Amino acid sequence: MKSSNIGGQAVLEGIMMRNGGQYAVAVRKPDNEIAVDVQEYKSVIPGNTVRKIPFIRGIFNFIDSLVLGVKTLMFSASFFEDEEEEAKVLTAGEKEKKEKKEQLLMNLTMAFSLVLAVGIFMLLPYFLSSLLRRYIRSRFFMTVVEGILRVLIFLGYLALVSRMEDIQRTFMYHGAEHKCINCIEHGLELNVENVRKSSKEHKRCGTSFLFFVMIVSIVFCFFITAESQVLRVLIRVLLMPVIAGVSYEIIRLAGNSDNSFVNLLSRPGLLVQNLTTKEPDDSMIEVAIRAVEAVFDWRAYLKENFGKECSPDNVEEAHK
């Protein structure tokens, strides 16, 4: 199976798909129509050299994904604003002020999300495990306990969030995103029927990436030998970019390989995806297909990698 190199995320009542220098957001509007917005992808990091260096590229890809994710989430949310706000005609000055406000909100959201994530998933497990320090003298076992707590907190957080009704719909769109990519990468024509029977788990998923971050962090923590508690906390924070870089390389390898060992390595992450992906309905699959087709020529991909020609009848069927 050759990777299509497309990826995306679920947004509010829709899906974002990215392919190379473009990304598309498809949203099911309140009137049931599908809005599709295609934009050029602009990295927050200028130039391509840095983003090609192994381990370093993962750090910048993570930052890019976070920025693009928040941006597309805000775009999808704009379709569900109050009718009074939608009906109001804004002047040029008001539009500029609104855009600046939205940009500030996006920056604050990203900063808050990063601080919260580091606090909950990196520092909280460390402080909780420190409570056992008087009972456990071995640094090895202390690190193991910290790692187990980190994974349990991560899984508990996902399990708790997945019970929220609005999040469940988002996770259904997340499943539709995976199903579309799996459909294409397994040589099937992109239509509702084929997507429906495809898997909702995918090895390149962000959930798997975050799970690997949890696991890789355990390994790195074995090498933190500082005596000062403040220094141990600081090192954990400073290691986050390195951990993200290593985790990205693992996910990248998994997405481009069918090696049995790599598949085994990917299995825990795929299992965790059962918490963040749900089976979508056909209307969600339709949105996902529209997002894919806006930025990716799946017919050319099938022809190049599977030798399949898409007949006119099948092309028409794919759009139904």
Side-chain angles (χ1 to χ4, degrees):
M1 179 185 73
K2 181 180 178 181
S3 172
S4 62
N5 292 320
I6 59 173
Q9 71 166 52
V11 296
L12 186 61
E13 291 299 324
I15 288 173
M16 180 274 290
M17 283 288 187
R18 175 187 159 194
N19 178 36
Q22 282 190 320
Y23 70 91
V25 187
V27 178
R28 178 75 70 176
K29 299 191 297 182
D31 62 5
N32 210 37
E33 293 294 319
I34 300 176
V36 181
D37 182 60
V38 181
Q39 297 285 342
E40 292 297 317
Y41 171 72
K42 295 180 181 179
S43 173
V44 296
I45 309 300
N48 293 318
T49 304
V50 175
R51 284 181 281 134
K52 292 181 179 179
I53 302 174
F55 301 104
I56 301 297
R57 60 191 172 192
I59 302 171
F60 297 120
N61 270 282
F62 174 72
I63 296 172
D64 277 345
S65 297
L66 184 60
V67 172
L68 185 58
V70 174
K71 182 179 180 179
T72 53
L73 272 171
M74 293 179 68
F75 171 78
S76 65
S78 68
F79 289 98
F80 303 92
E81 295 175 347
D82 293 336
E83 292 182 4
E84 289 183 7
E85 188 174 341
E86 290 181 354
K88 184 180 178 182
V89 178
L90 301 177
T91 64
E94 288 174 331
K95 286 182 179 178
E96 183 179 355
K97 187 176 180 180
K98 183 181 179 183
E99 288 175 358
K100 288 182 178 179
K101 184 179 178 181
E102 289 176 347
Q103 183 64 44
L104 176 61
L105 179 61
M106 185 176 77
N107 293 338
L108 290 174
T109 300
M110 287 188 296
F112 178 75
S113 299
L114 283 173
V115 171
L116 191 64
V118 171
I120 293 176
F121 302 119
M122 290 300 296
L123 302 186
L124 180 59
Y126 168 72
F127 286 114
L128 289 177
S129 64
S130 296
L131 298 176
L132 302 174
R133 195 172 298 278
R134 67 179 66 179
Y135 306 107
I136 304 175
R137 297 297 180 183
S138 169
R139 189 174 67 84
F140 173 84
F141 285 112
M142 282 295 298
T143 304
V144 171
V145 169
E146 180 186 345
I148 292 173
L149 286 172
R150 181 171 293 119
V151 172
L152 290 177
I153 290 172
F154 176 65
L155 295 178
Y157 169 80
L158 292 181
L160 184 64
V161 167
S162 67
R163 296 176 65 87
M164 300 170 63
E165 185 176 346
D166 289 342
I167 298 298
Q168 285 179 359
R169 286 192 61 81
T170 303
F171 285 173
M172 290 170 74
Y173 276 105
H174 189 196
E177 173 218 332
H178 285 186
K179 281 173 166 287
C180 275
I181 297 174
N182 277 319
C183 175
I184 296 167
E185 293 184 342
H186 285 83
L188 300 176
E189 294 181 6
L190 191 63
N191 55 52
V192 173
E193 182 181 353
N194 286 339
V195 172
R196 191 190 303 121
K197 65 186 181 183
S198 298
S199 173
K200 65 180 179 67
E201 285 85 39
H202 197 282
K203 290 189 290 184
R204 294 200 311 272
C205 175
T207 303
S208 291
F209 169 76
L210 292 175
F211 184 74
F212 275 121
V213 167
M214 301 296 114
I215 301 302
V216 171
S217 68
I218 297 174
V219 177
F220 274 78
C221 285
F222 279 115
F223 299 97
I224 300 177
T225 58
E227 293 297 325
S228 167
Q229 179 166 290
V230 174
L231 194 55
R232 287 197 295 269
V233 170
L234 181 61
I235 292 174
R236 277 166 170 78
V237 174
L238 293 177
L239 277 175
M240 280 304 300
V242 182
I243 293 170
V246 173
S247 301
Y248 174 81
E249 294 303 322
I250 296 174
I251 285 292
R252 194 171 186 272
L253 172 65
N256 291 281
S257 173
D258 270 332
N259 179 275
S260 57
F261 175 74
V262 174
N263 287 339
L264 182 63
L265 192 65
S266 301
R267 194 62 196 162
L270 295 176
L271 291 174
V272 176
Q273 286 178 41
N274 285 315
L275 294 172
T276 63
T277 59
K278 306 296 180 185
E279 287 294 336
D281 58 36
D282 287 357
S283 68
M284 294 174 175
I285 292 174
E286 291 169 1
V287 174
I289 290 174
R290 291 286 297 277
V292 171
E293 293 189 323
V295 293
F296 185 73
D297 188 349
W298 59 268
R299 299 172 189 86
Y301 173 85
L302 293 186
K303 182 178 180 180
E304 178 183 351
N305 295 282
F306 298 93
K308 290 187 176 182
E309 291 282 359
C310 190
S311 66
D313 289 341
N314 288 333
V315 170
E316 183 179 348
E317 179 66 25
H319 284 276
K320 288 184 179 179

